[in-house]
């Protein structure tokens, strides 16, 4: 038993050293590479708060200056590190049935000087709070999930305030962009970088965006995107032009249209819902088809969820249900990032400081995802029980 434990510890150290060497390419100076490695050690440590002082103490430093300088004055590109982390995740978790998931999360803040902070809705808090909001992209497969991109949302009031921009060191080329526009850019970047992606997933804020759907369809990239119950549907039938919405369609479906399927596995077992799909008679590329996918709660038959689907012809309803259920994987990334790795402990007020902190946390999370993926692959039952993420949720 002791031998097994010590062997696992050696593997942990070897993999962590390998990651530090890999991300070292983002840091030109050896001193910055060294402190970046110490920063990641601090993120992975048991320190309750991932602050400059506590992580400096963890690294054996008398003062937090070097930790703070890494996020502030240091000369390095957070985007270059992001690209390294993204490639690392693709190599670790990449799978033909993998998915990309986009969502935002909030970071409650005091004061008004941190870049992008404003009174705005925070999904993490579930209400309007003084907070920063970041849009994130995750990659998930049967081997695990990890964040691969991030961008701080800059409200219009910030984007148009020259003085506040200067104080927060917001680059001149950063203009106001909606969360949806940011999501489109991040998804396109990940696909361009070679993501092996069966479906793109998102909630109704993003799923209702026709530009995102058209961009994915132009790439022949399948998606399962949530939409609201009153999303306008304009369709031309053999008889006439019809305008309707997902809720109206769901209410007209016969009992025979519904099938009980799992949307993955939860802590209490399979998450069962009733599912149906309705063909959308819109022009589509050869080899693909569009659907309205509908999920109904078995406990509360009046509770529905709706999705627009663009998928290869012949795709099974069970696969679409499983894919829709995978949107929670990014929530798992947020929860683990905040509870274990200090995703929400950023002390930097500047634009680049926020992106540097988030990207270093992403590197630490990718390392843990790599260890978990190796355990899954080495498990004696892994091959016998292999299922795509479209068939079951990632544990």
């Amino acid at each position: 038993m002791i031998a097994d434990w010590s062997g696992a510890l050696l593997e942990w150290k070897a993999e962590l050293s390998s990651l530090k060497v890999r991300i070292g390419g983002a840091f030109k100076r050896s001193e910055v590479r060294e402190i970046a490695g110490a920063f990641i050690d601090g993120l992975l440590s048991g320190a309750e708060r991932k602050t400059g002082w506590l992580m400096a103490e963890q690294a054996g430093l008398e003062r937090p200056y070097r930790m703070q300088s890494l996020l502030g004055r240091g000369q390095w590109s957070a985007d270059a590190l992001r690209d390294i982390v993204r490639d690392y995740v693709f190599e670790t978790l990449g799978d033909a049935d993998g998915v990309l998931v986009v969502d935002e999360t909030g970071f409650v803040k005091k004061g008004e000087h941190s870049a992008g902070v404003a009174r705005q809705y925070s999904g993490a808090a579930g209400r309007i709070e003084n907070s920063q909001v970041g849009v994130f992209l995750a990659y998930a497969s049967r081997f695990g999930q990890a964040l691969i991109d991030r961008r701080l949302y800059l409200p219009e009031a910030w984007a148009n305030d020259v003085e506040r921009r200067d104080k927060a060191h917001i680059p001149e080329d950063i203009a106001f962009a909606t969360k949806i526009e940011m999501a489109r850019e991040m998804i396109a970047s990940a696909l361009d970088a070679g993501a092996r992606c069966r479906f793109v997933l998102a909630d109704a804020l993003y799923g209702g965006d026709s530009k995102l759907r058209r961009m994915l369809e132009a790439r022949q990239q399948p998606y399962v995107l949530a939409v609201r119950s009153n999303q306008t549907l304009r369709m031309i039938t053999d008889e006439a032009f019809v305008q309707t919405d997902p809720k109206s369609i769901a209410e007209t479906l016969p009992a025979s249209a519904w099938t009980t399927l799992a949307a993955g596995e939860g802590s209490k077992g399979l998450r069962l819902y009733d599912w149906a799909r309705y063909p959308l008679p819109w022009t589509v590329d050869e080899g693909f088809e569009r659907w309205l996918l509908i999920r109904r709660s078995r406990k509360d038959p009046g509770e529905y969820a709706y999705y627009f689907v663009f998928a290869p012809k012949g795709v099974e309803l069970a696969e679409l249900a499983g894919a829709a259920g995978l949107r929670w994987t990014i929530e798992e990334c947020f929860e683990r990032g905040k509870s274990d790795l200090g995703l929400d402990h950023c002390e930097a007020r500047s634009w680049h400081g926020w992106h540097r902190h988030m990207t270093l946390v992403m590197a630490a999370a990718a390392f843990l995802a790599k260890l978990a993926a190796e355990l899954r692959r080495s498990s004696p039952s892994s091959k016998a029980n292999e299922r795509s993420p479209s068939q079951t949720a990632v544990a």
Side-chain angles (χ1 to χ4, degrees):
M1 183 67 70
I2 294 177
D4 291 343
W5 180 85
S6 61
L9 180 60
L10 288 174
E11 290 180 11
W12 166 289
K13 290 183 176 180
E15 181 56 42
L16 183 56
S17 295
S18 176
L19 173 65
K20 290 178 181 178
V21 169
R22 183 162 184 167
I23 67 172
F27 310 98
K28 295 180 180 180
R29 298 179 58 188
S30 60
E31 298 88 355
V32 182
R33 285 196 296 272
E34 179 185 353
I35 203 64
F39 194 96
I40 288 178
D41 288 339
L43 294 174
L44 294 168
S45 74
E48 184 175 353
R49 294 287 298 177
K50 315 300 184 182
T51 64
W53 274 104
L54 290 179
M55 291 203 293
E57 182 179 299
Q58 181 77 22
L61 303 174
E62 293 183 359
R63 302 184 64 185
Y65 173 82
R66 295 181 66 192
M67 292 290 182
Q68 294 167 347
S69 179
L70 178 70
L71 301 183
R73 293 171 291 275
Q75 297 297 311
W76 61 280
S77 168
D79 285 348
L81 178 59
R82 182 271 318 275
D83 292 347
I84 294 172
V85 172
R86 183 175 59 193
D87 291 345
Y88 180 81
V89 170
F90 288 166
E91 292 172 18
T92 300
L93 307 180
D95 187 78
D97 286 323
V99 296
L100 288 170
V101 194
V102 68
D103 202 357
E104 75 275 359
T105 189
F107 304 89
V108 176
K109 288 286 183 180
K110 296 180 180 179
E112 57 183 25
H113 301 295
S114 297
V117 70
R119 292 281 299 173
Q120 54 190 326
Y121 180 78
S122 168
R127 58 185 180 274
I128 294 176
E129 285 279 3
N130 195 62
S131 61
Q132 293 171 306
V133 173
V135 180
F136 289 80
L137 186 67
Y139 184 81
S141 74
R142 56 197 170 98
F143 301 116
Q145 59 270 338
L147 297 173
I148 60 170
D149 205 351
R150 73 291 166 269
R151 186 167 165 188
L152 178 63
Y153 173 67
L154 193 67
E156 272 191 280
W158 265 90
N160 298 328
D161 191 325
V162 176
E163 183 177 353
R164 292 183 86 187
R165 290 177 65 106
D166 288 344
K167 289 181 178 179
H169 302 286
I170 298 171
E172 292 183 1
D173 62 341
I174 299 298
F176 172 74
T178 66
K179 297 169 190 174
I180 296 170
E181 290 170 334
M182 291 156 60
R184 285 202 302 265
E185 292 175 3
M186 290 192 289
I187 292 169
S189 179
L191 293 172
D192 288 343
R196 300 172 65 192
C197 182
R198 177 65 169 169
F199 293 105
V200 171
L201 313 176
D203 69 14
L205 172 66
Y206 305 95
D209 179 46
S210 61
K211 290 182 179 179
L212 173 60
R213 299 196 302 271
R214 287 199 297 269
M215 183 268 284
L216 294 174
E217 290 170 14
R219 290 172 170 266
Q220 296 193 327
Q221 171 58 58
Y223 59 71
V224 179
L225 301 173
V227 293
R228 295 183 174 89
S229 62
N230 61 351
Q231 175 80 36
T232 300
L233 282 167
R234 296 183 178 90
M235 300 182 292
I236 300 176
T237 68
D238 292 337
E239 298 178 356
F241 175 85
V242 176
Q243 181 168 305
T244 184
D245 56 60
K247 185 175 184 293
S248 299
I249 291 175
E251 291 173 345
T252 63
L253 293 177
S256 59
W258 297 93
T259 303
T260 300
L261 295 165
E265 295 178 0
S267 59
K268 298 181 180 180
L270 292 176
R271 295 180 290 130
L272 296 175
Y273 295 91
D274 293 333
W275 296 85
R277 59 178 171 177
Y278 182 88
L280 297 177
W282 299 334
T283 303
V284 69
D285 292 341
E286 185 177 355
F288 291 85
E289 53 196 7
R290 290 193 182 98
W291 298 90
L292 171 66
L293 177 68
I294 308 168
R295 188 192 75 193
R296 183 177 67 189
S297 171
R298 303 186 77 218
K299 294 181 179 180
D300 181 2
E303 181 181 310
Y304 292 85
Y306 309 92
Y307 308 84
F308 281 166
V309 172
F310 174 74
K313 284 186 177 179
V315 67
E316 297 290 337
L317 178 61
E319 183 177 358
L320 299 180
L326 280 173
R327 192 166 60 81
W328 72 270
T329 52
I330 195 169
E331 298 295 339
E332 178 72 9
C333 291
F334 293 151
E335 182 178 346
R336 291 181 177 178
K338 291 181 178 181
S339 63
D340 299 335
L341 299 172
L343 189 73
D344 56 346
H345 295 175
C346 180
E347 296 178 301
R349 291 180 173 179
S350 67
W351 173 272
H352 59 271
W354 186 92
H355 287 86
R356 288 176 174 183
H357 177 91
M358 297 302 159
T359 312
L360 287 163
V361 173
M362 285 163 47
F367 163 70
L368 295 179
K370 171 72 176 292
L371 296 181
E374 293 303 320
L375 286 175
R376 286 188 176 94
R377 289 187 172 97
S378 64
S379 171
S381 60
S382 62
K383 292 186 178 180
N385 295 321
E386 275 186 2
R387 288 177 287 183
S388 76
S390 298
Q391 295 167 321
T392 184
V394 180

